[in-house]
């Protein structure tokens, strides 16, 4: 299987080595910083007091790896992004999972950006009235609207995907008072919850790529 995955005669939407590398958030952030993108200050650290001193309070914590798991009852669970203080984390083992800690950004808009090779689509979600992690609000999953006003983000999203050698990506960006900031990239992310006038084009683009010339 490993030999097949790395056969130079086969083209993949995203090669296995690039896929595994790109799924690592620290790799994503280093790549984003290397090409000049704005990224929230980020640490992996076991000392909550140090995190508070570097990031201010509250700061954000989220899983370094996958943000979902299956519990003992076989139910799928999601570990949402949370705002915390050093006191909230007193006694917690931050390296057991482990978790990322980031400077908290006050979102005005959430962006979901999908790239397929050089093609790119952007949907925006007004953050007003939503929790820090918009996935907690059921209505938010159906409230994204297609937007054409984020040209610079789209250019940067394609550049980041190319830098990471990922032919397909779903990216999350936050727009706050200082402008857009990159927060996450998934080389196998979800996009069917986006508006139909986007998802049909994304599906067509993926199908055309897979079909080949």
């Amino acid at each position: 299987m490993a030999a097949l995955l790395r056969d130079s005669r086969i083209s993949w939407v995203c090669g296995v080595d690039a896929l595994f590398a790109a799924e690592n958030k620290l790799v994503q952030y280093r790549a984003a910083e290397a090409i000049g993108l704005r990224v929230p200050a980020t640490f992996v650290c076991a000392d909550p007091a140090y995190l508070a001193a570097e990031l201010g309070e509250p700061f954000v914590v989220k899983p370094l790896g996958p943000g979902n798991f299956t519990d003992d009852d076989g139910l799928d669970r999601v570990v949402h992004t949370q705002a915390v203080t050093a006191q909230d984390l007193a006694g917690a083992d931050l390296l057991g999972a482990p978790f990322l800690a980031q400077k908290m950004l006050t979102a005005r808009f959430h962006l979901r950006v999908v790239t397929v090779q050089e093609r790119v689509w952007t949907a925006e979600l007004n953050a007003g009235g939503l929790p820090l992690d918009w996935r907690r609000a059921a209505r938010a999953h159906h409230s994204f609207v297609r937007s054409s006003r984020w040209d610079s983000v789209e250019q940067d999203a394609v550049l980041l995907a190319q830098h990471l050698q990922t032919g397909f990506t779903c990216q999350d960006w936050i727009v706050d008072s200082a402008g857009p900031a990159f927060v996450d990239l998934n080389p196998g992310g979800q996009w069917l919850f986006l508006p139909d006038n986007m998802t049909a084009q994304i599906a067509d683009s993926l199908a055309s790529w897979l079909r080949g010339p």
Side-chain angles (χ1 to χ4, degrees):
M1 180 63 73
L4 178 63
L5 289 171
R6 294 175 175 84
D7 190 325
S8 61
R9 296 168 297 179
I10 302 174
S11 297
W12 300 95
V13 172
C14 184
V16 63
D17 296 307
L19 177 73
F20 289 153
E23 286 182 334
N24 187 301
K25 290 184 175 63
L26 295 180
V27 171
Q28 296 175 20
Y29 296 142
R30 283 198 296 267
E33 289 179 334
I35 61 176
L37 306 188
R38 180 182 172 222
V39 179
T42 302
F43 292 90
V44 177
C45 176
D47 184 356
Y50 178 85
L51 295 174
E54 292 294 323
L55 300 173
E57 292 187 299
F59 53 90
V60 168
V61 292
K62 60 186 180 182
L64 174 60
N68 58 282
F69 66 97
T70 302
D71 66 15
D72 293 338
D73 297 321
L75 299 175
D76 292 331
R77 303 292 187 182
V78 176
V79 182
H80 292 102
T81 300
Q82 298 183 56
V84 299
T85 65
Q87 182 60 41
D88 294 331
L89 298 178
D93 181 6
L94 294 179
L95 298 183
F99 280 80
L100 285 174
Q102 288 186 323
K103 185 176 182 63
M104 189 169 74
L105 304 181
T106 302
R108 293 181 175 178
F109 294 93
H110 298 282
L111 305 182
R112 175 58 63 101
V113 185
V114 180
T115 67
V116 179
Q117 294 180 294
E118 288 78 28
R119 298 197 65 186
V120 59
W121 300 261
T122 300
E124 68 178 46
L125 174 68
N126 191 313
L130 294 179
L132 175 69
D133 190 327
W134 61 263
R135 295 174 299 173
R136 288 181 176 272
R139 66 179 176 87
H141 292 256
H142 309 285
S143 299
F144 277 86
V145 295
R146 188 168 185 174
S147 178
S148 59
R149 61 177 179 148
W150 305 105
D151 289 346
S152 62
V153 170
E154 292 186 344
Q155 293 171 13
D156 289 339
V158 171
L159 186 62
L160 180 58
Q162 291 173 340
H163 189 85
L164 290 168
Q165 299 181 335
T166 48
F168 164 80
T169 69
C170 288
Q171 301 181 26
D172 291 313
W173 292 64
I174 283 177
V175 182
D176 66 0
S177 59
F182 167 76
V183 292
D184 190 50
L185 178 149
N186 190 333
Q190 300 180 30
W191 45 273
L192 285 176
F193 65 91
L194 299 174
D196 290 344
N197 60 354
M198 291 178 60
T199 58
Q201 293 181 13
I202 295 168
D204 285 345
S205 185
L206 284 168
S208 296
W209 184 11
L210 292 171
R211 185 171 58 248

